[in-house]
Amino acid sequence: MSEKSPKLRAELDGIPTYKPGKPAAAGGPVAYKLSSNENPYPPLSGVLETAVAAAGQFNRYPDMACTGLVNELAERFGVPVEHIATGTGSVGVAQSLIQSTAGPGDEVIYAWRSFEAYPIITQISGATSVQVPLTYGDVHDLDAMFDAITERTRLIFVCNPNNPTGTAVRRAELERFLDRVPSDILVVLDEAYKEFVRDTEVPDGIELYRSRPNVCVLRTFSKAYGLAGLRVGFAVAHEPVAAALRKTAVPFGVSQLAQDAAVASLRAEDELMGRVGALVGERARVHRTLVGQGWTVPDTQANFVWMRLGERTADFAAACEKAGVVVRPFAGEGLRVTIGETEANDIFLHTAEAFFKEM
Ligand SMILES: Cc1ncc(COP(=O)(O)O)c(C=O)c1O
């Protein structure tokens, strides 16, 4: 018998593992999960009923073209159906975007720190990550990102608002950047948290995409729409980018359950956006309270706040967990805390207050 193990691609060596937000401890006194930027509200009853009805047919493959969902999205955003491509969460679409544009020898530019899937999916494709540090205020440094462009650049992610800092780039600077990037480089505006944005100067990527064939917008049903567990996201992009996404997508990746629940969610948007409004109100309260306690917290346009704690990160995360809320530490850097249920936010704020006093 051969002792050799199957040959795997060398690019896979050293890929950082995606760290999912830690679940809330089972059986603890109170345990809230503020570690994955999920929506704390349970599914709307109508959406749940739709999903349950679809579950009765999961012996069948789903509609591979996601026809109903794509039609609904095209109408909702006023874009051609051919410009929409769906996937298993927006991270699935992001991976297809890289597979469609970049391989060994090519470069993918993104801010750092930003969404932790970017380095993983770049490395999987064999391309090279070019990480451009955020500014001192934890915002994308678009000038430095522009300066990082080389002959080998194939794709640039702009995460707006940025995960994990919550900061957002505004219209004038983003348009200036897009106007300068060569038209043969794809710019992906990752707008996973778009629905939480309240700064009117932060642009809607779909408006920017309309006149720019090299701009692609990523959106998800995981956050504001509360369907994280069903895995459905989509891109809005011109041809040939959207067509490339359809070629590289995993066949039948989006379940019928997810497709139907997404359509039901779009139809229940008023109610869902009411919930988003309540979370935005909580976000303002959490931010205001933290600043009042003495913390420096960047302005956030997403459903989380970012606290730069450096070496104290792990201690603060442990204090939160002990108090009953699980947050997301980035060792040695800082902590991302999702806006959750009011009680959860209160526990977090009390812990933050006590921790600040001890520092
Ligand atoms: C910036 C950003 N993009 C994309 C995603 C992926 O979300 P999903 O794959 O659930 O659509 C996330 C999730 O955390 C995110 O923070």
Side-chain angles (χ1 to χ4, degrees):
M1 241 184 16
S2 163
E3 306 249 314
K4 287 186 181 163
S5 50
K7 284 184 184 156
L8 301 175
R9 285 172 51 224
E11 286 94 343
L12 303 189
D13 293 341
I15 287 188
T17 24
Y18 189 103
K19 288 201 191 78
K22 217 173 144 177
V30 221
Y32 293 100
K33 187 178 176 210
L34 303 183
S35 54
S36 291
N37 298 342
E38 293 152 332
N39 193 319
Y41 291 97
L44 289 177
S45 55
V47 175
L48 188 60
E49 278 161 25
T50 305
V52 168
Q57 292 190 18
F58 63 44
N59 53 315
R60 302 286 176 195
Y61 284 106
D63 170 1
M64 194 166 117
C66 296
T67 316
L69 176 57
V70 166
N71 286 339
E72 195 88 12
L73 288 168
E75 171 132 6
R76 164 79 176 70
F77 294 109
V79 302
V81 284
E82 302 79 29
H83 285 197
I84 293 174
T86 52
T88 52
S90 54
V91 74
V93 188
Q95 181 157 22
S96 290
L97 281 167
I98 297 192
Q99 270 183 326
S100 304
T101 53
D106 298 331
E107 293 174 350
V108 175
I109 298 177
Y110 51 87
W112 200 249
R113 181 170 279 282
S114 189
F115 182 34
E116 67 177 313
Y118 299 155
I120 299 172
I121 56 182
T122 301
Q123 202 169 329
I124 290 173
S125 79
T128 303
S129 278
V130 178
Q131 302 186 334
V132 178
L134 296 169
T135 64
Y136 186 67
D138 284 322
V139 185
H140 275 64
D141 188 341
L142 292 180
D143 285 337
M145 289 175 75
F146 176 75
D147 290 342
I149 293 174
T150 71
E151 284 281 287
R152 293 182 294 280
T153 308
R154 293 290 175 273
L155 184 151
I156 305 174
F157 281 112
V158 178
C159 187
N160 206 29
N162 188 44
N163 176 8
T165 58
T167 50
V169 289
R170 294 176 137 193
R171 185 172 292 106
E173 52 177 326
L174 187 53
E175 283 185 348
R176 191 170 149 264
F177 175 73
L178 295 176
D179 289 344
R180 291 199 295 162
V181 173
S183 60
D184 59 353
I185 297 174
L186 184 68
V187 181
V188 179
L189 305 177
D190 184 345
E191 296 189 334
Y193 303 96
K194 167 79 184 89
E195 297 81 2
F196 297 96
V197 171
R198 289 298 178 271
D199 179 344
T200 54
E201 284 303 308
V202 175
D204 179 333
I206 293 180
E207 294 315 316
L208 298 177
Y209 121 96
R210 290 189 199 281
S211 59
R212 293 178 170 85
N214 67 328
V215 169
C216 166
V217 182
L218 276 183
R219 297 275 180 94
T220 182
F221 283 94
S222 297
K223 312 295 179 181
Y225 292 90
L227 303 183
L230 290 182
R231 313 307 301 125
V232 51
F234 63 98
V236 182
H238 292 263
E239 303 286 17
V241 177
L245 286 174
R246 284 188 285 273
K247 284 184 196 161
T248 50
V250 173
F252 304 109
V254 183
S255 71
Q256 199 61 49
L257 221 124
Q259 294 181 36
D260 291 358
V263 169
S265 300
L266 286 168
R267 292 182 183 166
E269 232 173 12
D270 286 351
E271 205 173 343
L272 285 170
M273 291 311 135
R275 292 173 159 194
V276 168
L279 289 169
V280 167
E282 272 296 278
R283 171 179 83 194
R285 180 177 78 91
V286 169
H287 190 272
R288 196 172 53 239
T289 309
L290 287 172
V291 170
Q293 291 172 0
W295 295 96
T296 303
V297 187
D299 177 38
T300 172
Q301 293 295 314
N303 65 338
F304 49 85
V305 290
W306 170 246
M307 299 164 81
R308 250 191 206 288
L309 276 131
E311 295 311 315
R312 293 198 170 93
T313 300
D315 288 346
F316 187 37
C320 288
E321 199 163 327
K322 198 166 162 219
V325 289
V326 188
V327 297
R328 175 71 166 89
F330 294 84
E333 268 182 80
L335 205 97
R336 188 192 68 200
V337 186
T338 307
I339 304 299
E341 301 85 341
T342 306
E343 316 81 82
N345 303 334
D346 283 341
I347 295 172
F348 162 66
L349 288 171
H350 287 136
T351 314
E353 186 174 29
F355 197 87
F356 192 86
K357 285 182 183 151
E358 279 169 24
M359 282 202 312

